[in-house]
Amino acid sequence: TRTVPGELKWAASPSEGGWEEVSIMDEKNIPIRTYQVCNVLEPNQNNWLRTDWIPRSGAQRVYVEVKFTLRDCNSLPGVTGTCKETFNLYYHESNEDRESYIKESSFIKVDTVAADESFTQVDVGDRIMKLNTEVRDVKVTTRKGFYLAFQDVGACIALVSVRVFYKTCPLTVRNLATFPDTITGADTSSLVEVRGSCVNQSEEREEPKMYCGADGEWLVPIGGCLCNPGYEERGGACKACRAGFYKAKSTDPGCAKCPPHSHSLRDGATICDCHAGFFRADTDPPSMACTQPPSAPQQLISVVNETSVVLEWTPPHRLGGRSDTNFPRPGAGGGSVSSSQFCAPCGSDVLFSPGQIGLMTTRVVVSELRAHTHYTFIVHARNGVSQASGAGAAQSVSVSVTTNQAAPSPVSSIQATDVTRHSLSLSWQQPDRPNGVILEYEVKFYEKDQRERSYRIMRTFSRSVDVTGLNPLTVYVFHVRARTAAGYGEFSTPFEFSTNSDPFPLIGEGVNSAFLLLSVSGVGILLLISPYTPIDLLVKIYVDPFTYEDPDQAIHEFAKEIDVSSIHIEKVIGMGEFGEVCSGRLRVQGKREIYVAIKSLKAGYSDKQRRDFLSEASIMGQFDHPNIIRLEGVVTRCKPLMIITEYMENGSLDAFLRKHDGQFTVIQLVGMLRGIASGMKYLSDMNYVHRDLAARNILVNSNLVCKVSDFGLSRVLEDDPEATGTYLSPGGKIPIRWTAPEAIAYRKFTTASDVWSYGIVMWEVVSYGERPYWDMNNQDVIKAIEEGYRLPAPMDCPVVLHQLMLDCWERDRAERPTFSQILNMLDKLIRNPGTLRRTGGERYLQCTKAKTEISTSKVAITCTSTHIHIHIVLTPTPASL
Ligand code: AMP
């Protein structure tokens, strides 16, 4: 209203004698319009004042700041009980601004407003008044605009000013994505999901998203953008790389200086060009220096050994700045000196060891050459840029040699053409490389069983031989070698043939197979029994009831059967997976009557449901701890089946906290957390992994003692409505918000994953049952956790508690504290409550206006936010000045 130049002329009812528009001077002597009413002496006042229609301009929640002065009834002489010290604020949503009169019944009450204790003194004319400022917020979502109304019921008030506003999360750039100025959501806990758009010259790495919180703060940035190649991040924008710099990929961290022997002349280079005479291979990364082809190999020497040549050289003296110099082609041409003047390329039968091309060594053995032949070998040196540079013969060196005479190569195969009881006829082919005229063949043979202890030799000019005088049915081994003027070649590999048992010849029969008979004897196991009995087992370990073949055996081992006549059901208190949960009383003979909760299994159950229902009792019955819900017994002998547990008057913890929002001291909250930690330590000592630890699965009794409950084995997978199967592949559902990342990703449920859930329970407790990650969806929660986001400290949360939560949410599960460490920590906090005093509350203060004054004698900071005004003056000591 302070900005309205003329009169306000709001609608008032009654039009006379109620609210009155008055002009006054404000503290800065500027005229302002105010409304006053002061009918404190007359009973039954009902004076309405309605603002003009206010368009909501897209806002969903608006804030109304009212500055007013209110006379203290005691300060008014002679007033009776009719004087009031409050007024009521109303609103009414409407599409039109043409409502000429005030229709009281269409207005909805926002709040009763009373004068605050804190006030500023205002000089109004000659009077000193206490100026109150109150802010209320209201959801306006249904129409184009709304009216506000002030109802006076007999107070002495002056409305000095009314300011109506809404909040936005201001335009911001985060992770190189621009998020527009965004109007906050309709509810105080609602988050508006906003998609960012990549800044100029950038591309999306992962869809950029943020949430606009009700207070106008941006929360949970996810994803973001990366500067395009040739650009880097500077001050939240993507700026071109300067000349002399480059960036090849958007994922590279920033522009880098051009590597040696390269340059970039223009801004925004994605790669640097090589200096003249320098090159880059196709596979060279842009970050690599430009290089040159190598110079020629040096000092090529050759050593001839019959028909092989060993070539050796030293590397080029200039490698061109690369390490991939290789020698691709030693051996280029060969030709017989006598038969031809021209060299022909070597045939494919010439062997190069270790190889002919791409050698990284400086030595090669060339074998299987022809005897008496002239060869020229050329060794080229090349590297990754030889091709790019078009370098040619300058990089090679050559040598010429003539091979010596050589013995023939071995005979490669032998055939048996005729086999009898006492003889074998053999034949073979000439060796591949006779290296001269074959003068004769030599055949060496022996009985296979004899090995080479005794053998016979036969010589022949032809390529066949008849071997006679052999024993029947015997395997013989044959080797053949050829001789030239250069001497004998190598013997062939062994060939085996067997003589016949049959008096008639059999052609081409090979060696009979032999059979090995294995006999298997019986195996006896000898058990050694130790004479020592084990020492007492101190650790009790939880037994999975599903390891029992007969579920009834498990239930009777761990739970007591209760006679149904001793149970007295009173009322229904909840709904479980298998049926109703009731409260009632249990009187067991010789004991006093106690209150109990009774879960029953609804009729028409399957065998599996019966087993799952009773499994919870089989598990619970193994525990005995003050912070674990206690099993009193089961009814299995008659229907319906029942599980009887101790009665927890305050029900589940999440609902209980929501009902008592803000009503407990920090020590009380820590006390609850201590109880849960103690129960969880007990479970982890028993080797039991809970998998569904959450405030909804903690029960609270009348003394605020918290107990861990919900032990069904199937429950994690099916029962919990928080558990969702949408994200996961086969194997069941998981309560995403409470579950550690490794348990979500690959079902690694351990005590350490229970610790993660415990951290979430801590957050739920300190925030009085707020939903973890508010209304973010499960996928976004998983993504945010993956990116390192963790829940912030709830309002007024002691710093130590939030730190403990963060410890529970360590990504590496080995880094998380154990329940025993958590318990010690909480005990320490309870003993020294002072440590709980420091809260991170300052995070929530956002200055809407801030001013800093720095002078030689002081530093003054003034911060104004919606609810508070802070002025800090730091006066340095002479020393610090
Ligand atoms: P449950 O099937 O264990 O999740 O139980 C369903 C609901 O019944 C719970 O959310 C509680 O509100 C209530 N309830 C279960 N057990 C007890 C108990 N021992 N004492 C009081 N209320 C209980």
Side-chain angles (χ1 to χ4, degrees):
T1 55
R2 282 183 188 248
T3 60
V4 176
E7 280 176 52
L8 291 169
K9 289 213 178 109
W10 285 354
S13 158
S15 51
E16 300 268 323
W19 290 94
E20 239 185 317
E21 183 163 354
V22 181
S23 282
I24 59 164
M25 293 297 179
D26 74 358
E27 61 275 20
K28 291 188 189 119
N29 241 8
I30 297 168
I32 52 170
R33 239 69 46 196
T34 67
Y35 277 94
Q36 300 185 356
V37 64
C38 194
N39 301 344
V40 286
L41 294 173
E42 294 140 59
N44 304 330
Q45 289 297 309
N46 182 26
N47 304 310
W48 283 71
L49 173 66
R50 194 204 66 193
T51 65
D52 290 338
W53 184 76
I54 305 168
R56 71 178 171 97
S57 318
Q60 308 201 68
R61 174 160 292 270
V62 293
Y63 296 78
V64 183
E65 182 202 73
V66 187
K67 290 194 191 246
F68 61 96
T69 59
L70 205 139
R71 289 286 296 269
D72 180 354
C73 286
N74 291 334
S75 72
L76 294 164
V79 299
T80 55
T82 53
C83 176
K84 302 283 183 328
E85 291 181 347
T86 61
F87 65 90
N88 297 322
L89 177 65
Y90 284 83
Y91 78 109
H92 158 47
E93 291 190 71
S94 162
N95 277 333
E96 296 179 311
D97 67 349
R98 274 177 289 149
E99 293 181 21
S100 51
Y101 68 98
I102 307 172
K103 196 171 155 210
E104 291 172 23
S105 62
S106 56
F107 277 82
I108 301 166
K109 184 162 165 182
V110 179
D111 204 0
T112 299
V113 183
D116 200 347
E117 281 173 345
S118 60
F119 57 85
T120 323
Q121 294 198 328
V122 188
D123 207 340
V124 184
D126 51 359
R127 279 186 300 140
I128 301 262
M129 291 288 288
K130 300 168 183 178
L131 183 67
N132 295 282
T133 303
E134 291 288 329
V135 180
R136 296 293 182 274
D137 50 320
V138 55
K139 179 168 162 177
V140 283
T141 50
T142 62
R143 297 287 143 81
K144 286 192 202 140
F146 57 93
Y147 292 97
L148 294 173
F150 302 87
Q151 182 200 24
D152 163 56
V153 287
C156 193
I157 326 164
L159 285 183
V160 176
S161 70
V162 178
R163 187 167 73 94
V164 181
F165 59 97
Y166 59 87
K167 297 189 183 180
T168 65
C169 294
L171 175 123
T172 186
V173 174
R174 201 70 68 85
N175 298 338
L176 290 176
T178 308
F179 293 86
D181 193 34
T182 302
I183 299 175
T184 57
D187 296 302
T188 47
S189 70
S190 59
L191 300 178
V192 180
E193 186 183 304
V194 183
R195 206 184 169 290
S197 45
C198 292
V199 300
N200 280 345
Q201 300 296 352
S202 72
E203 61 190 40
E204 207 167 288
R205 167 173 56 94
E206 201 186 336
E207 184 184 26
K209 257 204 276 184
M210 258 206 298
Y211 290 88
C212 174
D215 259 357
E217 275 175 85
W218 288 107
L219 292 165
V220 204
I222 303 176
C225 308
L226 293 169
C227 289
N228 289 343
Y231 290 81
E232 67 178 352
E233 181 175 356
R234 260 178 266 147
C238 291
K239 298 277 166 61
C241 298
R242 289 192 302 274
F245 289 77
Y246 77 104
K247 194 179 105 175
K249 283 187 279 153
S250 56
T251 46
D252 290 345
C255 298
K257 217 166 162 352
C258 284
H261 310 297
S262 71
H263 59 271
S264 63
L265 297 177
R266 267 178 286 118
D267 287 356
T270 56
I271 194 158
C272 299
D273 299 326
C274 291
H275 291 163
F278 285 84
F279 307 91
R280 192 174 268 136
D282 290 346
T283 52
D284 286 354
S287 57
M288 191 172 139
C290 291
T291 53
Q292 292 178 303
S295 57
Q298 309 174 81
Q299 296 163 27
L300 176 60
I301 52 166
S302 59
V303 178
V304 179
N305 177 12
E306 295 184 355
T307 56
S308 349
V309 178
V310 177
L311 300 171
E312 269 182 279
W313 59 91
T314 51
H317 79 264
R318 193 164 46 75
L319 293 174
R322 304 183 65 91
S323 55
D324 61 352
T325 298
N326 59 38
F327 306 97
R329 284 202 303 144
S336 163
V337 188
S338 50
S339 64
S340 167
Q341 291 220 260
F342 303 104
C343 288
C346 290
S348 59
D349 48 349
V350 174
L351 293 182
F352 292 85
S353 172
Q356 187 181 3
I357 50 172
L359 293 173
M360 299 302 286
T361 55
T362 57
R363 181 177 193 272
V364 69
V365 180
V366 190
S367 52
E368 313 274 310
L369 295 167
R370 281 189 254 160
H372 285 297
T373 308
H374 183 73
Y375 284 90
T376 299
F377 296 96
I378 306 165
V379 181
H380 297 275
R382 50 180 303 154
N383 63 15
V385 296
S386 293
Q387 196 162 7
S389 66
Q395 302 145 311
S396 63
V397 60
S398 67
V399 66
S400 292
V401 299
T402 303
T403 49
N404 295 331
Q405 65 176 13
S409 62
V411 166
S412 53
S413 90
I414 308 171
Q415 287 90 39
T417 49
D418 208 354
V419 181
T420 70
R421 278 163 59 85
H422 297 289
S423 70
L424 283 160
S425 297
L426 302 179
S427 65
W428 54 87
Q429 294 293 315
Q430 180 178 293
D432 294 341
R433 274 169 291 102
N435 292 336
V437 178
I438 305 241
L439 302 176
E440 68 174 358
Y441 291 98
E442 189 175 85
V443 180
K444 176 169 98 170
F445 65 97
Y446 46 88
E447 280 183 34
K448 189 176 180 185
D449 290 348
Q450 294 289 315
R451 307 265 164 75
E452 266 180 274
R453 281 193 292 270
S454 74
Y455 57 85
R456 283 162 63 191
I457 294 274
M458 292 173 75
R459 296 209 172 94
T460 169
F461 298 115
S462 70
R463 287 184 284 106
S464 61
V465 71
D466 292 329
V467 188
T468 53
L470 303 176
N471 294 325
L473 202 68
T474 305
V475 179
Y476 287 88
V477 179
F478 297 88
H479 300 264
V480 177
R481 65 178 178 177
R483 183 168 71 84
T484 61
Y488 279 111
E490 296 265 311
F491 271 119
S492 67
T493 50
F495 288 83
E496 294 180 11
F497 302 99
S498 171
T499 49
N500 273 330
S501 58
D502 200 305
F504 305 102
L506 262 180
I507 310 287
E509 190 178 286
V511 184
N512 285 325
S513 311
F515 296 96
L516 179 65
L517 290 178
L518 290 172
S519 70
V520 180
S521 62
V523 179
I525 295 172
L526 182 65
L527 280 181
L528 289 175
I529 313 277
S530 158
Y532 302 105
T533 46
I535 51 165
D536 282 346
L537 279 177
L538 294 173
V539 189
K540 207 174 143 201
I541 301 289
Y542 145 82
V543 183
D544 180 353
F546 280 71
T547 56
Y548 283 73
E549 222 164 87
D550 175 7
D552 283 347
Q553 192 193 339
I555 192 81
H556 290 118
E557 188 146 325
F558 301 123
K560 200 163 63 193
E561 181 74 27
I562 290 181
D563 192 289
V564 76
S565 66
S566 53
I567 303 166
H568 185 85
I569 296 180
E570 283 174 348
K571 63 170 194 265
V572 178
I573 53 169
M575 210 45 215
E577 184 196 356
F578 299 98
E580 286 164 350
V581 183
C582 298
S583 66
R585 281 169 289 141
L586 172 71
R587 163 159 266 149
V588 180
Q589 258 201 338
K591 285 194 187 163
R592 76 186 165 86
E593 191 176 60
I594 55 166
Y595 282 98
V596 286
I598 303 143
K599 279 191 192 179
S600 45
L601 177 58
K602 56 183 176 261
Y605 51 82
S606 65
D607 255 9
K608 180 178 178 305
Q609 282 174 318
R610 177 179 193 272
R611 189 138 48 114
D612 290 348
F613 176 73
L614 291 178
S615 75
E616 175 161 24
S618 301
I619 295 168
M620 215 189 298
Q622 299 181 48
F623 303 141
D624 178 17
H625 187 273
N627 296 103
I628 305 289
I629 193 85
R630 206 172 95 80
L631 178 72
E632 295 297 340
V634 290
V635 176
T636 62
R637 303 236 161 90
C638 61
K639 287 186 184 162
L641 300 192
M642 296 182 208
I643 296 176
I644 321 291
T645 61
E646 65 180 306
Y647 180 57
M648 302 293 284
E649 294 81 350
N650 280 315
S652 54
L653 178 60
D654 61 334
F656 174 67
L657 288 169
R658 281 196 278 271
K659 197 162 127 204
H660 297 280
D661 192 359
Q663 293 176 7
F664 299 115
T665 62
V666 176
I667 288 290
Q668 279 175 309
L669 296 178
V670 175
M672 295 180 200
L673 291 173
R674 189 216 179 266
I676 303 166
S678 172
M680 288 308 297
K681 176 184 178 305
Y682 174 82
L683 292 182
S684 68
D685 288 345
M686 292 271 286
N687 266 14
Y688 178 80
V689 178
H690 190 289
R691 295 177 177 223
D692 196 11
L693 178 58
R696 65 183 170 280
N697 290 329
I698 304 290
L699 292 168
V700 189
N701 73 8
S702 56
N703 296 323
L704 291 194
V705 176
C706 289
K707 306 199 182 197
V708 181
S709 85
D710 230 309
F711 297 102
L713 276 184
S714 61
R715 105 219 99 95
V716 177
L717 311 174
E718 287 144 23
D719 179 25
D720 195 327
E722 273 300 339
T724 163
T726 51
Y727 180 72
L728 282 164
S729 43
K733 303 171 177 181
I734 283 179
I736 298 293
R737 281 152 218 275
W738 281 265
T739 306
E742 74 277 6
I744 295 174
Y746 50 98
R747 313 195 67 79
K748 184 79 194 161
F749 285 97
T750 57
T751 291
S753 62
D754 276 353
V755 166
W756 178 291
S757 312
Y758 179 81
I760 303 288
V761 172
M762 288 183 72
W763 192 89
E764 290 184 273
V765 168
V766 182
S767 63
Y768 285 92
E770 178 65 275
R771 180 168 168 75
Y773 311 97
W774 309 278
D775 51 8
M776 283 169 69
N777 68 36
N778 281 342
Q779 310 294 4
D780 283 351
V781 170
I782 292 170
K783 220 191 288 171
I785 292 297
E786 182 56 34
E787 292 190 3
Y789 174 80
R790 296 291 184 269
L791 283 167
M795 187 127 65
D796 298 329
C797 175
V799 171
V800 279
L801 287 187
H802 188 234
Q803 187 52 52
L804 187 54
M805 296 177 203
L806 294 174
D807 293 345
C808 294
W809 303 326
E810 277 287 347
R811 172 188 299 274
D812 178 358
R813 64 177 193 277
E815 295 288 306
R816 296 175 203 153
T818 61
F819 280 115
S820 155
Q821 288 166 331
I822 293 172
L823 194 60
N824 283 341
M825 173 80 180
L826 294 177
D827 280 339
K828 227 188 270 169
L829 295 181
I830 293 169
R831 280 196 303 273
N832 307 298
T835 47
L836 289 165
R837 224 165 276 144
R838 197 165 77 81
T839 66
E842 63 270 24
R843 321 160 25 102
Y844 286 91
L845 176 68
Q846 199 178 9
C847 301
T848 47
K849 253 189 285 165
K851 202 169 83 189
T852 321
E853 285 173 66
I854 304 176
S855 70
T856 46
S857 57
K858 68 170 193 195
V859 175
I861 301 160
T862 315
C863 161
T864 311
S865 87
T866 354
H867 303 291
I868 208 163
H869 180 87
I870 297 178
H871 186 68
I872 305 163
V873 180
L874 309 169
T875 349
T877 57
S880 67
L881 251 181

